[in-house]
Amino acid sequence: MLHSDQSADPPRQYRLVAAQIRALIDMDRIRPGARLPPEREMAQQFGVSRQVVREALVALEFEGEVEIRASSGAYVCGVDKGNAVQPRLGRSPAELIQARVVLERAIITLAASRVSQPGLLRVGAALQGMREDLDRGRPPLAADRQFHLSIAEMGGCDALIGVVATLFDRFHSAIPSRHVCDEGLTSWRAALIEHEAIFQALKARDPITADAALCSHLLAARNRSTGLS
């Protein structure tokens, strides 16, 4: 039985699990097309939490090693090892969200203390764009991105706007498109409510509530990105 090193830094444990699953695939102990064991079973096998297993599977799908099917599980892809994508485990959605939490918490605290009417109008316009996209039945990704960039702009963090944009783009590119399609617009509607809470806290010039609302949103986004059953 394989085990993950329990002493490993928790955000990195998924890498160890992903490497062990990949090794089993490479040794043909799990054949192409085969369904991987249930999440709970793998968590017990590797001695980690189910959340770590979820993150490992998301990373492996991003590499093209497995395919995650909603309400069905994860299946080994028929990958041509000679043309396999190079590992990108350093770009796990969980790690990217962790970076966003650190950066955007500092930004929103500044923004809440520097609220201006033009700044609120820009953030509000992005929020309205999210509503309109959802009303049309389409994911409001561009408006979501503009919402976060507008907050950085209002906080006077011009030098960090590019970093916010890069982390946002990498986070969403690290989520396999099937997850977005399978979830439909339900998750986006939940995200809209979270964005509205952030906006209301900014309007109230309340940095503590704004920080809490932002953290709640980013952690919810993290859970949605790795929320396999």
Side-chain angles (χ1 to χ4, degrees):
M1 181 172 64
L2 297 174
H3 287 284
S4 175
D5 181 2
Q6 289 284 7
S7 65
D9 185 15
R12 309 288 178 172
Q13 278 191 327
Y14 80 94
R15 296 187 181 191
L16 301 177
V17 173
Q20 292 178 87
I21 294 173
R22 191 187 305 104
L24 293 175
I25 295 172
D26 289 342
M27 292 186 295
D28 286 334
R29 290 180 60 183
I30 307 177
R31 304 302 298 273
R35 183 180 184 275
L36 292 175
E39 182 183 292
R40 187 185 303 276
E41 183 178 322
M42 286 195 287
Q44 293 174 346
Q45 178 181 3
F46 297 124
V48 297
S49 68
R50 292 180 65 181
Q51 181 65 31
V52 171
V53 173
R54 291 182 189 128
E55 293 171 14
L57 292 174
V58 169
L60 287 171
E61 182 172 40
F62 188 56
E63 292 180 32
E65 292 278 2
V66 304
E67 176 186 355
I68 298 169
R69 303 175 190 171
S71 304
S72 179
Y75 294 78
V76 178
C77 294
V79 178
D80 178 355
K81 298 302 180 182
N83 296 318
V85 177
Q86 292 299 312
R88 298 179 182 178
L89 291 176
R91 296 171 63 184
S92 153
E95 283 192 321
L96 291 166
I97 277 291
Q98 187 177 42
R100 287 186 63 188
V101 167
V102 172
L103 178 64
E104 294 190 44
R105 285 188 71 183
I107 288 173
I108 202 164
T109 299
L110 284 172
S113 66
R114 299 176 179 177
V115 171
S116 66
Q117 192 59 30
L120 280 177
L121 287 174
R122 286 190 292 270
V123 177
L127 185 61
Q128 181 60 27
M130 292 184 69
R131 295 191 192 102
E132 292 173 357
D133 281 344
L134 283 170
D135 287 343
R136 296 186 180 101
R138 63 192 188 198
L141 184 61
D144 181 8
R145 185 179 190 271
Q146 189 56 48
F147 181 90
H148 289 273
L149 296 184
S150 296
I151 291 174
E153 185 179 356
M154 185 164 65
C157 304
D158 292 352
L160 296 178
I161 290 176
V163 181
V164 173
T166 297
L167 287 173
F168 182 96
D169 294 341
R170 287 187 178 179
F171 171 71
H172 284 279
S173 68
I175 303 173
S177 60
R178 277 181 294 279
H179 289 183
V180 177
C181 295
D182 292 339
E183 289 177 355
L185 299 178
T186 302
S187 291
W188 279 111
R189 292 193 179 96
L192 175 62
I193 294 172
E194 295 156 13
H195 283 73
E196 288 173 341
I198 295 170
F199 181 62
Q200 292 302 320
L202 288 173
K203 283 181 66 176
R205 293 173 168 78
D206 184 345
I208 294 176
T209 302
D211 175 61
L214 175 73
C215 285
S216 177
H217 163 56
L218 291 178
L219 292 177
R222 175 188 187 275
N223 291 338
R224 285 190 289 266
S225 73
T226 58
L228 309 179
S229 58

